[in-house]
Amino acid sequence: MTLLFSPLSFRSRTFRNRLWVSPMCMYSAVDGVPQRWHRTHLAQFASGGAGLIMAEATGVVPEGRISPRDTGIWSDEQRDVWAEIVSDVHERGGMIGIQLAHAGRMASTWWPWAAQRGTVPVAEGGWPTVAPSVIAFEGYAAPEALDAGGIERVVTGFADAARRAVDAGFDVLEVHGAHGYLLHEFLSPLSNARDDEYGGSLQNRARLLLRVVRVVREVAGEDLPVFVRLSATDWAEGGFTPEEAAQVGRWAADAGADLVDVSSGGILAGVKVEYRPGFQVPFAASIRSSGRVPTAAVGLISSGAQAEEVLSSGAADAVFAAREWLRDPHFGLRAAHELGAEVPWPPQYQRAHWRD
């Protein structure tokens, strides 16, 4: 039995293995409503052996979407379509989570294959953005600083979205606190210049994230796992650091999080990152050891052997992958085959499982 294909349990959910699908935006929704593309895209990973499929960053409020084409979960119509997708995944033996997100100053942007770049004008379907402070992301419109009422609306938005996600049948709720989006913007001194209880010290900068984790945990109850995605470093002087991430990971666990999904970057454009296979794994290891909280590693992980090494080294409890699942939606079955792990295959695919 490999570690990668051993089960992992959080609260009432047991994942059949530890090779998971990272959330990946498809920029294919209409008014926040997932489309047929999303149903096929996500369900295929369940047939392909994923232990958990994390649906893309999904706006908890309309202005929280990264782009006008991002999914949302602020309406009952969106909830009901998500429920059909959850059913498709469950029917294929998989489990599925949703990443609850607010893009902050990086909202209202053009999707990757659009001819334009930067902020989508209001006249073309965009909207004004919000952030901790009036500090723009490079190339984007300046945001409006959230006041006390705006912060309360953000917290309420996450709580309401979590409630709809529970009603839709999701197995995991993940709070997106990474990649330069709103909760990360509060965490980083590079985007947070506030002088109130949400700025200055790390405890203050983490306050909004921890409030969100608590309300999501309250909605999730005792049964559903709650994950938090963090960018463990801003890759820039004066930014959020791995040591701070470990502390925030401890606080998040105290607030009700079951696992920290460890990524990096996003707060600044053009930073120097040494991309290499598994380049973020040390951050997951650091948070796991010093933060005393389970972690998932992600970042240029593209083989079963590599993922197995991440786990056997003690760096993480699970592995998220993204691009490799896009290249091969049956990455899970292939990795199990390569490692010699005996895992359930869909009966329709049994011929590919035969080794002779």
Side-chain angles (χ1 to χ4, degrees):
M1 174 66 71
T2 65
L3 276 173
L4 189 62
F5 289 96
S6 63
L8 179 63
S9 296
F10 290 103
R11 298 185 184 262
S12 69
R13 297 299 194 268
T14 297
F15 307 102
R16 59 188 177 184
N17 64 56
R18 302 170 187 230
L19 183 57
W20 298 348
V21 179
S22 195
M24 294 175 278
C25 290
M26 294 289 103
Y27 306 101
S28 300
V30 177
D31 295 328
V33 179
Q35 302 296 297
R36 287 184 178 181
W37 172 271
H38 298 88
R39 294 189 66 164
T40 303
H41 167 69
L42 292 167
Q44 67 182 339
F45 300 130
S47 299
L52 171 66
I53 302 155
M54 190 66 71
E56 65 190 78
T58 297
V60 299
V61 291
E63 64 273 19
R65 290 170 294 165
I66 301 167
S67 84
R69 292 191 175 188
D70 279 54
T71 56
I73 193 163
W74 66 81
S75 76
D76 291 349
E77 178 187 9
Q78 294 159 354
R79 175 203 62 197
D80 294 345
V81 176
W82 278 120
E84 294 172 358
I85 294 171
V86 169
S87 179
D88 288 347
V89 170
H90 286 169
E91 185 177 302
R92 297 178 185 220
M95 287 194 174
I96 183 169
I98 188 169
Q99 189 179 64
L100 304 175
H102 191 305
R105 67 180 186 171
M106 296 179 69
S108 187
T109 59
W110 294 101
W111 45 98
W113 56 87
Q116 304 93 325
R117 289 290 180 267
T119 302
V120 179
V122 173
E124 297 184 55
W127 54 88
T129 60
V130 297
S133 305
V134 185
I135 302 173
F137 185 82
E138 183 180 342
Y140 292 7
E144 176 184 343
L146 283 166
D147 60 14
I151 288 174
E152 294 306 315
R153 287 190 293 274
V154 168
V155 175
T156 299
F158 272 95
D160 291 345
R163 192 167 295 108
R164 288 189 172 91
V166 170
D167 292 344
F170 281 101
D171 299 294
V172 176
L173 308 182
E174 178 167 272
V175 174
H176 198 351
H179 298 167
Y181 301 128
L182 184 64
L183 299 181
H184 182 193
E185 291 163 17
F186 272 86
L187 288 172
S188 175
L190 299 175
S191 49
N192 183 347
R194 299 176 73 98
D195 58 6
D196 62 1
E197 67 270 32
Y198 290 94
S201 68
L202 177 61
Q203 186 174 26
N204 282 356
R205 287 183 277 119
R207 190 181 304 276
L208 180 56
L209 171 71
L210 298 176
R211 286 191 63 191
V212 168
V213 172
R214 290 188 190 99
V215 298
V216 171
R217 165 51 61 208
E218 182 177 357
V219 171
E222 291 302 314
D223 287 343
L224 286 187
V226 172
F227 295 173
V228 175
R229 174 163 270 196
L230 291 179
S231 280
T233 177
D234 288 337
W235 298 103
E237 185 177 353
F240 192 58
T241 68
E243 294 75 22
E244 290 180 320
Q247 178 62 69
V248 172
R250 287 195 292 272
W251 289 337
D254 291 342
D258 299 293
L259 176 141
V260 178
D261 173 8
V262 187
S263 189
S264 70
I267 208 71
L268 293 180
V271 297
K272 183 178 180 181
V273 179
E274 295 182 7
Y275 292 106
R276 61 186 184 279
F279 71 105
Q280 296 174 150
V281 171
F283 301 135
S286 173
I287 291 176
R288 187 174 189 261
S289 61
S290 60
R292 299 184 298 279
V293 58
T295 63
V298 66
L300 299 185
I301 296 171
S302 57
S303 73
Q306 182 190 7
E308 177 72 14
E309 171 59 27
V310 170
L311 300 182
S312 63
S313 71
D317 300 270
V319 170
F320 275 112
R323 291 173 178 86
E324 196 60 27
W325 285 104
L326 295 183
R327 298 183 189 106
D328 179 5
H330 302 108
F331 177 37
L333 297 181
R334 171 166 58 84
H337 187 81
E338 292 171 350
L339 292 172
E342 290 298 329
V343 299
W345 281 54
Q348 298 90 337
Y349 293 173
Q350 283 294 332
R351 283 169 290 183
H353 181 42
W354 297 336
R355 299 179 186 275
D356 54 8

